[in-house]
Amino acid sequence: MHTLASPSSTNYLNRIRPSLNRFGPTQTRGVVTVKCGYGFDYANFTQGYGVGSNRADWQSSCAILASKVISQQDNGHNNSGNGNENNHVSAVNGHNASVTDLQLVPVSNNKLIQPKPLTITDLSPAPMHGSQLRVAYQGVPGAYSEAAAGKAYPNSEAMPCDQFEVAFQSVELWIADRAVLPVENSLGGSIHRNYDLLLRHKLHIVGEVQLPVHHCLLALPGIRKEYLTRVISHPQALAQCENTLTKLGLNVAREAVDDTAGAAEYIATNNLRDTAAIASARAAELYGLNILADEIQDDPNNVTRFVMLAREPIIPRTDRPFKTSIVFAHDKGTSVLFKVLSAFAFRNISLTKIESRPHRSRPIRVVDDESEGTAKHFEYMFYIDFEASMAEVRAQNALAEVQEFTSFLRVLGSYPMDMTPWNSPSTSHRGD
């Protein structure tokens, strides 16, 4: 095990396995580049400039990226010589848009523009904070994810996405600045899809939000409960309200749809007078539905945890409670798990989450034994959250020891814990 030096907030990843030479800062033209590890992207910490510091910079970056993604410009035409500089068309996310439509402001070529890392101030409401942020979430307006995005970044511009994958891509393509996505629910458990996407994409967790969930039974105006023949909602919402629906005397079919607010929108759009939705009170307000019953979740302690994602990590600190999320794997299967857990227990670091997911690139491990024959074992990736900042020496040392036992290790993020108290159902907002 390598003993790490004193903590350094900006170079915490540099301390792990220096002999491997996978990490280490390099400086080029005033930019400090920190390699973020294990074959993944770099984190660029600039000294003075940052893409996205104003709308013009963001638009310019988006246009440059768009031209690299899907360019429909004919390579045989030279814009500089024929006066058609504004005629080339690029496509982003399936939509064609002329560069001239972005109303670009020229950026000086001698100005070094690099994305700067988020800081702790990005997570704290302040005057004008969030007013320039575009925050992606999965669902339609009125979804609980929209409420989580509003709690994470007040006054931000919420951007609904039809899929989790689209929310990830919108941040990577600079269409959105952040994404707020659910990872676990106190009753329904983990949202496995997002754990898989965290590994597939290269975004960083920069914060978390815990949102109490308050379900309501919604229907068109004038509809009473005895008129209903079915209830639609997200599968987890249906499961979380199963006993209450029975107590309400509803002998109805229960059908799953993509999301809660989408169920409310579907009823309103199609004027379904025999159907109710399980969704938030805000969804009822947005889509003109009546609340037939509120607080219909079986357990009042129904909380969903969301993570806040960004292109760059924040700088870990020690002046407030932090949480760190990692993912690792090992060539020799699950036998290494005990050693990994011991690295945290020895340093009195508390784990708040451990999750295993199939190793998609190598789901089966075959072991040949001359005396016992051939055995097949499932291979797993392990996700762990622990209560410590990567600015702390104990956390750095723990990961240095974990790396000795693993074939793959990635830090998904080190970020402030959500310490806001949960309101009681009678006083908290209901999906707002």
Side-chain angles (χ1 to χ4, degrees), residues 183-259:
V183 290
E184 60 181 328
N185 177 265
S186 57
L187 301 181
S190 299
I191 290 88
H192 295 138
R193 175 62 174 164
N194 283 335
Y195 276 99
D196 294 339
L197 290 173
L198 282 171
L199 185 61
R200 181 183 305 175
H201 295 269
K202 299 173 185 178
L203 300 181
H204 302 268
I205 302 177
V206 297
E208 67 173 2
V209 171
Q210 297 181 354
L211 185 77
V213 176
H214 305 292
H215 291 309
C216 302
L217 186 66
L218 312 180
L220 290 172
I223 301 301
R224 297 190 300 183
K225 289 182 290 186
E226 51 266 29
Y227 297 162
L228 301 176
T229 61
R230 65 171 177 166
V231 173
I232 61 175
S233 191
H234 187 275
Q236 284 201 7
L238 291 172
Q240 293 165 9
C241 302
E242 183 176 3
N243 294 334
T244 304
L245 292 177
T246 302
K247 292 178 181 178
L248 290 174
L250 296 178
N251 184 20
V252 295
R254 301 167 190 183
E255 299 180 9
V257 294
D258 289 339
D259 58 86

Side-chain angles (χ1 to χ4, degrees), residues 259-291:
D259 58 86
T260 56
E265 181 186 37
Y266 180 74
I267 291 175
T269 302
N270 295 278
N271 195 33
L272 301 178
R273 307 187 65 81
D274 63 342
T275 305
I278 297 176
S280 67
R282 172 166 167 77
E285 178 183 353
L286 289 176
Y287 302 113
L289 302 181
N290 283 351
I291 299 177

Side-chain angles (χ1 to χ4, degrees), residues 31-49:
V31 180
V32 179
T33 301
V34 180
K35 299 180 180 180
C36 284
Y38 312 100
F40 290 85
D41 279 352
Y42 299 110
N44 296 319
F45 300 90
T46 65
Q47 298 175 347
Y49 304 107

Side-chain angles (χ1 to χ4, degrees), residues 311-325:
R311 289 177 292 273
E312 301 293 337
I314 64 171
I315 300 174
R317 299 170 60 165
T318 58
D319 58 351
R320 62 174 294 181
F322 259 65
K323 182 182 291 184
T324 300
S325 299

Side-chain angles (χ1 to χ4, degrees), residues 9 12-13 120 123 204-207 313-317 321-326 386-392 395 399 411-417:
S9 60
Y12 65 89
L13 288 175
I120 198 72
L123 306 177
H204 302 268
I205 302 177
V206 297
I314 64 171
I315 300 174
R317 299 170 60 165
F322 259 65
K323 182 182 291 184
T324 300
S325 299
I326 65 172
F386 59 88
E387 292 182 349
S389 168
M390 285 306 300
E392 300 179 54
L399 288 198
V411 177
L412 298 173
S414 188
Y415 48 92
M417 296 174 58

